[in-house]
Amino acid sequence: MAATTESVKADAAEAPLLNKRNLIFAVALYCVFYAWVRWYEGVYGWSAGMDSFAPEFETYWMNFLYIEFVLEVSTAGILWGYLWKTRDRKVMSITPREELRRHFTHWTWLVCYGVAIYFGASYFTEQDGTWHQTIVRDTDFTPSHVIEFYLSYPVYIITGGAAFLYAKTRLPTYQQGNSIQYMVATVGPFMILPNVGLNEWGHTFWFMEELFVAPLHYGFVFFGWSALGVLGVLNIEVAALAKLLKKDLA
Amino acid sequence: MSASQSAVRSRAEAVKVSRTFDWLICFTLFFVILGGYHVHFMLVAGDWDFWSDWKDRRLWVTVLPIMGITFPAAVQAVLWWRYRIAFGATLCVLGLLFGEWVNRYFNFWGWTYFPINFVFPSQLIPGAIVLDVVLLLSNSMQLTAVVGGLGFGLLFYPGNWPMMAPLHLPVEYNGMMMTLADLSGYHYVRTGMPEYIRMVEKGTLRTFGKDVAPVSAFFSGFVSIIVYFVWHFFGRWFGNTAFTKGS
């Protein structure tokens, strides 16, 4: 019990409802990190990413892949483990103001999820189209895939998992069970990563070219739809916030 | 928690908190929907959207509105039917275009060096505005599906015409007749996407000569109506607030 968070700390009332510094720092962190990643792609994609049998490919791309695997597993383990370990065991007895503060923190996580989803599903996925329609692939671990599948997707999975865990462990709204649409909005996009197995099998087995509308890619489409689960989360949150603010806004 | 306690200290603070949440919600919705819509759109219609030599009078006109009306219908089903917010379709399309333009600039041009006038995205805003306006004025899902959906399909080609017209001009090159868009495609070779998988001007619609694009647009509008209905109910399902039973 020692590691769990006590419901109401003495100084909690004095903390700001929304920690804007954390919000801005988190969004900036994703943007600066991905700007660096995009710079790395630009420099080492053409110079070291064309031939997977070349020594420089091992140096600049396979080592990048190994390092990101280790960092992602470590980050997920530490972050998710921390959120679970420090869960509030008296979550149903927190004050309304503390609950409001936690909703703000929860939305900070959801904003981060939005940014991470954007970079993963939009920026690096369409980027994959232009790279593979231009370059002939000779490996599953192309420069585009090392970033798209094995970096940007795990990053949004880790972020989405953290948002879900935060809500589940700290907000009374989510104690009645598991929100189906919250699970859809986090597990669905997660399933895009295992679907990479189908993608790589198909591209290796029978289709080395890149046609983005090929049926081989429809698994990504199906799981991409699940992002709409955020609409259910929105409805749950609006109802919870209305309950907290209604009499003051009336 | 005590029902008598208040989460805020004044009405002014309650208003400020409410407005702050509005901004956080708008930002998150925009980017999460953008991500889902973009990955859907690029993988069911993307090739016609990526390259100007794919933007033909048949499949481009047919496929893009049908695949494009999906997320707007679903998002409208929540934003209008629960909150009376009348810009669900436009929000989706602006998100999609944001994702596409950033990509075409930084990646199609910035990483693989295709000129922007070969890789610009298709225009969907006129159709989205019509969807939102019909819903706003009629407050009817059926009318939005039929009138808005048909308009979404019919407006696609004329909405893109100002950008595409110069690229559809005929040109003779080495004794062959082609469009300027085709010529761009021959000069900017995409090794990973060879000519034999390009789905452009397939079929016998050309038999009707000048009517190819209008017939395609009309067919697209018809299917868009049906797709709107289906995705409206998808949107309702995604908007549900059900929980699994707790232990």
Side-chain angles (χ1 to χ4, degrees), chain A residues 100-111:
Chain A
L100 186 62
R101 182 177 292 108
R102 291 185 188 184
H103 275 290
F104 270 116
T105 308
H106 179 223
W107 273 96
T108 302
W109 277 111
L110 288 173
V111 164

Side-chain angles (χ1 to χ4, degrees), chain A residues 13-14 17-18 20 23 27 38 41-42 45-46 92-97 99-100 103-104 107-108 110-111 113-115 117-118 121-127 129-136 143-144 153 173-181 183-184 192 207-214 217-218 220-221 224-236 238 241 243-245 247-250, chain B residues 1-11 13-18 20-21 24-29 31-51 54 70-71 74-75 78-79 82-83 98-104 106-114 189-194 196-199 231 234-235 237-247:
Chain A
E14 302 308 315
L17 286 173
L18 170 65
K20 288 182 187 166
L23 175 67
V27 173
R38 176 62 187 78
E41 282 181 313
W46 288 104
M92 295 309 287
S93 59
I94 60 175
T95 62
R97 192 164 180 83
E99 186 179 347
L100 186 62
H103 275 290
F104 270 116
W107 273 96
T108 302
L110 288 173
V111 164
Y113 191 43
V115 174
I117 282 270
Y118 161 70
S122 172
Y123 187 85
F124 287 111
T125 303
E126 193 174 276
Q127 179 198 65
T130 191
W131 182 256
H132 285 130
Q133 294 197 345
T134 308
I135 309 297
V136 174
S144 171
Y153 290 1
T173 313
Y174 297 91
Q175 300 309 306
Q176 52 183 302
N178 290 316
S179 158
I180 292 173
Q181 291 308 326
M183 288 195 290
V184 167
I192 287 179
F207 195 65
M208 296 291 281
E209 302 94 332
E210 185 69 78
L211 179 71
F212 245 37
V213 296
H217 293 150
Y218 290 174
F220 294 123
V221 176
W225 295 348
S226 61
L228 283 170
V230 75
L231 295 171
V233 178
L234 167 71
N235 291 336
I236 291 169
V238 168
L241 293 169
K243 202 172 161 188
L244 284 170
L245 299 174
K247 72 179 164 67
D248 295 287
L249 284 171
Chain B
M1 118 188 179
S2 166
S4 62
Q5 285 183 291
S6 183
V8 287
R9 295 189 174 126
S10 64
R11 188 175 187 282
E13 191 184 31
V15 171
K16 191 180 168 195
V17 162
S18 175
T20 308
F21 272 116
L24 294 172
I25 288 168
C26 281
F27 184 93
T28 305
L29 268 192
F31 282 101
V32 174
I33 290 170
L34 185 172
Y37 192 18
H38 197 180
V39 78
H40 155 88
F41 195 73
M42 74 176 78
L43 293 169
V44 292
D47 299 290
W48 288 282
D49 193 58
F50 295 161
W51 317 102
W54 277 71
T70 49
F71 272 59
V75 171
V78 170
L79 292 193
R82 287 186 82 113
Y83 303 110
F98 175 85
E100 289 179 338
W101 271 108
V102 169
N103 228 292
R104 306 303 160 86
F106 285 106
N107 296 324
F108 281 66
W109 178 76
W111 199 21
T112 45
Y113 309 116
F114 294 103
V189 176
R190 287 139 293 172
T191 319
M193 198 274 293
Y196 58 79
I197 56 173
R198 193 165 70 112
M199 286 181 277
W231 276 76
F234 276 11
W237 183 79
F238 279 115
N240 82 67
T241 54
F243 281 74
T244 58
K245 280 188 180 174
S247 55

Side-chain angles (χ1 to χ4, degrees), chain A residues 21-224:
Chain A
R21 198 178 56 180
N22 283 357
L23 175 67
I24 293 166
F25 175 76
V27 173
L29 187 66
Y30 285 94
C31 295
V32 170
F33 174 65
Y34 280 132
W36 173 78
V37 169
R38 176 62 187 78
W39 169 83
Y40 189 95
E41 282 181 313
V43 173
Y44 299 110
W46 288 104
S47 66
M50 306 284 282
D51 177 3
S52 67
F53 294 92
E56 61 268 26
F57 191 94
E58 183 72 21
T59 302
Y60 289 100
W61 288 105
M62 294 312 290
N63 284 333
F64 193 105
L65 181 72
Y66 304 141
I67 291 167
E68 68 189 13
F69 276 160
V70 172
L71 290 178
E72 285 154 11
V73 172
S74 311
T75 305
I78 293 168
L79 181 60
W80 292 351
Y82 172 81
L83 285 169
W84 180 252
K85 188 75 179 165
T86 60
R87 67 191 179 278
D88 189 345
R89 293 173 188 267
K90 299 174 184 170
V91 68
M92 295 309 287
S93 59
I94 60 175
T95 62
R97 192 164 180 83
E98 177 61 15
E99 186 179 347
L100 186 62
R101 182 177 292 108
R102 291 185 188 184
H103 275 290
F104 270 116
T105 308
H106 179 223
W107 273 96
T108 302
W109 277 111
L110 288 173
V111 164
C112 292
Y113 191 43
V115 174
I117 282 270
Y118 161 70
F119 277 110
S122 172
Y123 187 85
F124 287 111
T125 303
E126 193 174 276
Q127 179 198 65
D128 179 82
T130 191
W131 182 256
H132 285 130
Q133 294 197 345
T134 308
I135 309 297
V136 174
R137 67 180 80 199
D138 67 344
T139 173
D140 294 326
F141 301 106
T142 62
S144 171
H145 282 181
V146 167
I147 303 302
E148 179 204 6
F149 291 155
Y150 308 112
L151 179 68
S152 73
Y153 290 1
V155 166
Y156 77 61
I157 289 166
I158 292 167
T159 311
F164 181 86
L165 269 177
Y166 184 88
K168 186 68 192 161
T169 56
R170 284 155 173 84
L171 285 169
T173 313
Y174 297 91
Q175 300 309 306
Q176 52 183 302
N178 290 316
S179 158
I180 292 173
Q181 291 308 326
Y182 212 143
M183 288 195 290
V184 167
T186 49
V187 177
F190 159 78
M191 284 300 294
I192 287 179
L193 184 59
N195 186 71
V196 169
L198 164 66
N199 186 69
E200 297 315 296
W201 183 86
H203 273 301
T204 310
F205 188 67
W206 60 272
F207 195 65
M208 296 291 281
E209 302 94 332
E210 185 69 78
L211 179 71
F212 245 37
V213 296
L216 174 62
H217 293 150
Y218 290 174
F220 294 123
V221 176
F222 178 77
F223 292 118

